[in-house]
Structures are given as structure tokens and as C-alpha cells.
């Protein structure tokens, strides 16, 4: 039997590239990708086929579905939170309408195959919205149902798409008595800020973490756009892609929800700066507040409770703060800019 086919949208983004490498090493799937920009040559070898195109192009998605028996979708394409505030209309189009196109495609595919296509969706800490720092401190680690009142377009988009995914999985065409086997199987992870040793994010608001580390490694000065006290959870890219695959492989019967928090470690911007200075004593870091972006970070919880993921499918991050630096970030980053 040939290996099942996985479709990755936004494959050329940060999560996409890391996931491509992991799937290649893993070797159990054949991978088809779509992204606005063509994948670099070095990643193309990991794929059965790559498409350069827009997820808003329904004709392209139909064509991809007609050519491949897609059993799993990782829908990673999105505009992140800062970029989304600069162009909310476009964010809505890509993040919501684009996701709807993919859900529809996966739904049709499930009907065609007669079994549920698994649809993996990276949601975000941005679905939460705390009204002020005082409440944020009081709230501490939040569970999935708390504080779902986002203040960004991106957060609204992700929260709504979680609902869409749950709807497609449990209720789609309920009046038409669509049989359960032909409904898709949607699974979402709410990621904290992600830090990769290999790539730098663009257009996000948790970007101050990775930017600070990558700037220091390149001996570049860095002005941090949030204050030293700003605190949110982060996770290494390594753990992020590992959690995606763990959730993909989890038995449906074990899942009590379609949405799961996952977290690595919760740290302040000051703690990141201190740790970066320890690794790169010449690092030049100062603080230059961007009030709007700082306000967005303040609206995100100090930490998220990932107990549900731990209980249902055995989630546990590999790296806490110190080990993330010592064993993952620093060795790879040093090598990268050497
Ligand atoms: N990293 C994302 C952002 O900053 C949050 O999911 O927008």
C-alpha cells in the first residue's frame, strides 16, 4: 500500500518548513504543498508535489484534490496578528475565507474517500483577550474556555475557524443526514509564541522573542517593542511540530475536544533579554515601546493551561526555558550565523 498523502498549506512559512523536515525524517507520508511563494529547492525534494498559488483560488484547490487522495491537511497558511491589524480585510479573507475553502475541500475529499480526512489547524494564544494587565495577572494560566474575547482580527479569525472546524466535524449538513463517516476530523492546537532556531517569523506580535535572540546571534542591536515586564508563554518550533504530529496520530476516541492548548514555558521579555545576554554578552538590547503591539501582548494570557492535551493524548513539551536555549536554540542559531 502506498503512503498516505498529506497536504500542507503555507508550507513555506515558519511552521511549514519545520514540519516538512519532520515529515521527511518520519517518512510515513507523501507530502503535497501549496504556498504563495515557491519552496526553496532544498525543501522541494521532501515533497511529492509543490504548488505555488493562493488558497483563495478554489480552482487550484479543486485541481490539487483531483490529483491526489489527500488524507490529512495541515492548514498553516495565515496572516499573523500584527500584519492582520495593518490589513484586517485581507486577514479576514485569508484567515477565514481561505480556511473555509480548505474545510470544504477536505469535506468533499472525506466523502469521496468514505473516511474522515484529518484536518490539523494551528490556532493561537491570540484567541484570548484579557482586558488589562491586572486581570491578566489574576487570570494566570487560562484553560480553553476562559477569556475567549480576542482584541485582534487574527484572534477573531482563529477563534471563528475553530468553531467552523468543530461544526464541520460534528454538525455539517445536519438536515441532509450526512453520515458521520464522511465528515472530516478537525483538530486544532492553540500555540503560544513560537521560537525557531532556523527561521525568523514575520507579521506576528510574539515576534519580539525570536527577534531578540536572532538579532543577538547576528551581532545586531535590537529594540524591543514591548516592555520588559511583558509576559506570555512560548514554545520551541521543535515542540510545536511535534505536538502537531502527536495530535494527528491521537486516536479519535481519546479526544474530548476539537481544540487544545499547548504550552512550553512562560517568560517575560526581560527574562528572554537576560538569557540572551548570558549567551551573547555583547548583545545590544533596548526597549522602544510600540503601544499598540504591547497592548496586544498584554491582552494575551501570562500562561495557558495545557492539561487537556496532556490528559487526552499525552502531550508534554520537551523543552522548558533553560533547556530550550541550551539544547535547541543556541547550538543551532550559533551554527546558522557562524
Ligand atoms: N505568533 C502569533 C502572532 O504573534 C500568535 O499566534 O501573531
Amino acid at each position: 500500500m502506498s503512503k498516505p498523502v498529506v497536504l500542507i498549506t503555507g508550507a513555506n512559512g515558519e511552521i511549514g518548513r519545520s514540519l516538512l523536515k519532520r515529515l521527511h525524517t518520519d517518512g510515513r507520508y507523501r507530502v503535497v504543498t501549496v504556498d504563495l511563494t515557491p519552496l526553496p529547492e532544498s525543501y522541494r525534494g521532501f515533497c511529492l508535489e509543490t504548488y505555488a498559488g493562493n488558497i483563495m483560488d478554489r480552482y487550484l484547490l479543486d485541481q490539487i484534490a483531483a490529483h491526489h487522495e489527500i488524507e490529512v491537511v495541515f492548514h498553516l497558511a495565515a496572516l499573523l496578528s500584527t500584519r492582520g491589524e495593518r490589513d484586517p480585510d485581507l486577514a479576514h479573507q485569508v484567515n477565514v475565507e481561505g480556511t473555509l475553502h480548505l474545510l470544504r475541500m477536505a469535506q468533499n475529499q472525506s466523502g469521496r474517500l468514505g473516511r474522515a480526512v484529518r484536518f490539523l489547524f494551528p490556532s493561537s494564544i491570540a484567541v484570548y483577550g484579557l482586558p488589562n494587565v491586572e486581570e491578566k495577572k489574576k487570570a494566570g494560566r487560562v484553560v480553553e474556555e476562559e477569556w475567549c474575547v480576542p482584541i485582534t482580527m487574527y484572534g477573531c479569525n482563529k477563534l471563528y475557524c475553530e468553531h467552523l472546524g468543530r461544526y464541520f466535524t460534528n454538525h455539517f449538513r445536519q438536515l441532509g443526514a450526512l453520515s458521520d463517516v464522511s465528515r472530516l476530523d478537525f483538530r486544532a492546537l492553540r500555540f503560544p509564541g513560537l521560537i525557531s532556531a532556523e527561521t525568523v517569523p514575520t507579521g506576528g506580535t510574539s515576534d519580539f522573542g525570536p527577534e531578540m535572540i536572532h538579532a543577538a546571534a547576528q551581532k545586531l542591536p535590537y529594540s524591543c517593542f514591548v516592555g520588559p515586564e511583558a509576559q506570555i508563554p512560548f514554545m520551541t518550533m521543535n515542540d510545536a511540530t511535534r505536538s502537531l504530529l502527536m495530535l494527528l496520530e491521537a486516536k479519535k476516541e481519546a479526544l474530548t475536544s476539537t481544540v487544545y492548548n499547548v504550552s512550553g514555558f512562560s517568560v517575560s521579555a526581560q527574562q528572554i533579554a537576560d538569557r540572551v545576554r548570558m549567551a551573547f554578552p555583547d548583545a545590544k538590547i533596548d526597549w522602544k515601546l510600540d503601544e499598540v503591539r504591547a497592548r496586544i501582548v498584554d491582552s494575551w494570557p501570562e500562561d495557558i493551561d495545557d492539561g487537556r492535551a496532556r490528559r487526552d493524548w499525552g502531550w508534554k513539551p520537551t523543552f522548558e526555558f533553560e533547556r530550550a536555549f541550551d539544547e535547541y536554540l543556541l547550538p543551532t542559531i550559533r551554527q546558522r550565523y557562524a
Side-chain angles (χ1 to χ4, degrees), residues 79-82 123-126 154 191-194 201 203-207 300:
L79 251 65
L80 296 185
S81 55
T82 291
S123 185
S124 164
I125 188 176
Y154 171 76
F191 282 134
L194 299 181
T205 317
S206 59
D207 295 5
W300 293 347

Side-chain angles (χ1 to χ4, degrees), residues 82 86 204-205 207 225-226 290-298:
T82 291
R86 299 206 166 109
T205 317
D207 295 5
F225 59 81
V226 298
D290 175 323
E291 276 181 25
V292 179
R293 295 180 91 190
R295 164 87 197 92
I296 292 173
V297 170
D298 284 346

Side-chain angles (χ1 to χ4, degrees), residues 30-52:
R30 289 175 297 157
V31 181
V32 174
T33 67
V34 58
D35 198 294
L36 273 179
T37 54
L39 275 179
E41 198 52 52
S42 54
Y43 287 84
R44 256 178 267 167
F46 301 160
C47 308
L48 173 66
E49 191 135 16
T50 63
Y51 295 85

Side-chain angles (χ1 to χ4, degrees), residues 12-19 21 43 192-202 206-215 217-218 234-241 265 280 319 324-325 327-334 336-337:
N12 206 13
E14 268 211 297
I15 304 178
R17 286 190 182 197
S18 172
L19 184 63
K21 277 195 180 164
Y43 287 84
L194 299 181
I195 311 183
S196 168
E198 287 162 81
T199 48
V200 192
T202 44
S206 59
D207 295 5
F208 63 91
E211 281 174 0
M212 208 184 282
I213 305 168
H214 281 265
Q218 295 170 84
F234 284 93
M235 175 189 256
T236 63
M237 188 57 79
N238 205 341
D239 269 341
T241 50
F265 43 86
F280 305 99
F319 301 113
F325 269 82
E327 293 175 32
Y328 167 70
L329 291 169
L330 293 174
T332 317
I333 285 185
R334 285 209 168 98
R336 180 179 166 189
Y337 297 114

